[in-house]
Amino acid sequence: MSATSTADPTRRTLPVATLASVRAQTRELLREHRRALLAVIGLHAVAAVAGLAAPFVVGRLVDEVTRGTAYATVDRLVLWLAGAILAQTVLVWAARRASFRLGERVFAQLREQFMTRVMALPLSTVERAGTGDLVSRTTNDVEALSHVVRFGIPSIFVAVVTLTITVAAVAATGWLVALPVVVGVPIMWASTRRYLRFAPDGYLRERATYAVMNGVVTETVDGARTVDALGLAARRRRRIDEALRASYDAEIYTLRLRLIWFPQVEFAYLLPVAVTLVWGGWLVSQGQTTAGVVTAVALYVHQLASPLDELLMWLDEIQVGATSLARVIGIADVPADRTATGQEPADAHLVVDDVSYAYRSGRDVLRGVSLDLAPGERLAIVGPSGAGKSTLGRLMAGVDGPRLGRIDVGGVRLVDLDLDRLRGEVALVTQEHHVFVGTLADNLLLARPEAPPADLLAALAAVDAREWAQALPEGLDTAVGSGGHVLTTAQSQQLALARLVLADPHTLVLDEATSLLDPRAARHLERSLAAVVTGRTVVAIAHRLHTAHDADRVCVVDAGRVSEIGSHDELIAANGAYAALWRSWRDE
Ligand code: ADP
């Protein structure tokens, strides 16, 4: 493994939003929830004021006792003290409740936005970046963000409000006594500034290494058989070790930053309390103030530590949260791979014109491919494995756009159609037969949301599935998918085919490697497919040659180029590559 392959852990990952756009997004959120936010701050302010009562009453108690007082006065003050503590408890509870509710609401909103963005991601981007980064963002980053939004933001508001009110109380009680508080400020300021200068980059790097690690582990687990079969275990282990090491280094870096910062901060707020007591003692001896005032101020200064601590601790977590937010909203920065221009295809004529395509720059897997499909024709694409057949199929179904050249339907580029429109023109048929959670009808309506029940039944009938569908406990309204009625594999595949009937594209691209055209599939499934295919233009990526024999034309793809095209008989007569393939296949 070369050094360069691990040098940059962010390589091939999805974009990360800029600091400016993270700030703008946060401001937008705060503005949107301004009223709830003001209510939360108001509640916390009242709670904080109640919290000020205790030191004040204790201070009074000290002075009263010093002066010599009646039991009744002491009793009264103690009652006040109990009342203040009780009021504070109730107020803090109410304030926390309000802020958690706000946090949950904001987080739910962020999660919805994230989902919308993920759904809008161009498929080509997801393939290129690998799913590791996306999985890392949907898990680690959303998790980190949830922690900060649910607990961090509320705690920060509490801390800021409490701090402000406590500082005001200190100043009002005896600003002269509180003067030593300032000795803590420069220490705290300098150490925090230093921390904040290095922390964001550190956390960003930490997160990026998680993405890489997720990717490597997921790949290894998904491809466990391949890893085993090819004896790649040692290499994979080395790759994981490298990813772990990068993660470890990144974490050590941020840990070191925290290890320097925390003790300095701790010192910065213990020092003022000590100095206040010494300084206050001297002032009392000079007759400048009373022991009660010094007691109250020292208690207030001591009370400052807790919200400050909270604030600083969250400052740290906010870094993590901001980094995660940048990664979560960064997904929106992926440029769209298609732009709907609103043009309408003139007819159902599909034309591939001089198309080149590369997964990685500089390595074209298709080169100058041209094809003209007559509406209603059946074209089989054959060729050796790795020739580019599946890639061509994906491009012809508009899943991705070509690097050079164009693929048009009725004179409009496939990538200029919006996705819903595209699906009404061309569909890629794969083995994907996921049954979504919902009713059977919901599963069908995905293809055409406005379809009336009669059309749903007709579509099911077309693929030979009406009988079993109507025999379900609640017919079309039966809950299916995870947790619902379990459909057999054949039934799920028929459901997928019925969706195609509803979407009604004029052209189908069938990729045999991954398609429903499995010879082992039940006979009635083949009938279902035949029903869907009738009357449509079909491009069949034939990994087995009997499909080619039945097609109107056969196109041979070799090393990314079309090497031969013609009917089965023409190509056999020409005695070229196809004829050789055919002979070797037939003799097998
Ligand atoms: P075929 O379907 O003829 O077997 P493919 O279209 O699957 O060929 O692959 C053509 C070439 O593109 C191969 O060299 C393959 O390794 C490469 N390729 C296919 N899919 C990807 C991908 N997602 N990323 C990078 N390279 C790919």
Side-chain angles (χ1 to χ4, degrees), residues 131-345:
T131 46
D133 193 14
L134 200 55
V135 170
S136 169
R137 288 181 199 215
T138 42
T139 54
N140 295 350
D141 289 313
V142 169
E143 188 63 34
L145 198 56
S146 124
H147 183 56
V148 170
V149 172
R150 285 168 163 161
F151 305 108
I153 308 284
S155 304
I156 287 170
F157 279 120
V158 182
V160 170
V161 171
T162 314
L163 267 180
T164 317
I165 289 181
T166 312
V167 168
V170 166
T173 315
W175 65 270
L176 189 62
V177 183
L179 225 45
V181 171
V182 293
V183 300
V185 175
I187 306 175
M188 194 165 296
W189 190 73
S191 66
T192 304
R193 248 186 80 100
R194 181 179 177 284
Y195 174 77
L196 290 183
R197 196 166 67 236
F198 296 105
D201 281 348
Y203 287 116
L204 207 56
R205 198 154 64 94
E206 202 177 276
R207 295 270 137 193
T209 65
Y210 293 159
V212 172
M213 192 152 67
N214 265 336
V216 176
V217 172
T218 314
E219 263 170 33
T220 309
V221 173
D222 281 351
R225 282 165 194 278
T226 315
V227 169
D228 235 15
L230 300 182
L232 298 175
R235 209 179 308 165
R236 292 310 292 181
R237 208 171 296 131
R238 212 153 49 229
R239 188 77 192 81
I240 289 172
D241 282 347
E242 278 167 21
L244 264 176
R245 157 72 44 190
S247 231
Y248 178 82
D249 288 347
E251 282 194 25
I252 285 291
Y253 176 77
T254 57
L255 179 66
R256 197 164 289 153
L257 287 178
R258 287 194 296 272
L259 277 180
I260 297 171
W261 182 48
F262 284 170
Q264 289 175 341
V265 167
E266 196 71 32
F267 181 66
Y269 43 65
L270 277 179
L271 191 65
V273 179
V275 181
T276 301
L277 284 174
V278 174
W279 165 246
W282 185 76
L283 285 179
V284 172
S285 74
Q286 296 300 303
Q288 296 269 359
T289 188
T290 66
V293 170
V294 175
T295 309
V297 169
L299 284 174
Y300 282 141
V301 172
H302 180 70
Q303 266 188 8
L304 283 177
S306 144
L308 259 180
D309 206 20
E310 185 91 347
L311 198 62
L312 291 178
M313 186 194 90
W314 281 107
L315 211 57
D316 187 48
E317 303 259 345
I318 285 280
Q319 297 292 321
V320 182
T323 312
S324 289
L325 185 61
R327 289 168 51 79
V328 163
I329 63 180
I331 286 183
D333 294 345
V334 175
D337 66 347
R338 63 193 73 233
T339 44
T341 56
Q343 285 168 282
E344 288 294 312

Side-chain angles (χ1 to χ4, degrees), residues 127 359 365 384-391:
E127 277 190 12
Y359 288 98
V365 297
S385 175
K389 303 184 294 294
S390 296
T391 304

Side-chain angles (χ1 to χ4, degrees), residues 435 439-441 443-444 456-457 459-481 485-499 524-525 528:
V435 179
T439 64
L440 191 64
N443 268 275
L444 290 167
L456 303 186
L457 286 175
L460 286 169
V463 298
D464 229 358
R466 184 171 173 157
E467 224 166 281
W468 64 255
Q470 286 188 318
L472 290 176
E474 284 157 83
L476 284 180
D477 295 325
T478 308
V480 293
H485 182 88
V486 181
L487 299 182
T488 65
T489 309
Q491 286 174 337
S492 317
Q493 289 181 331
Q494 282 180 326
L495 199 57
L497 289 175
R499 272 204 289 265
H524 66 271
L525 246 187
S528 307

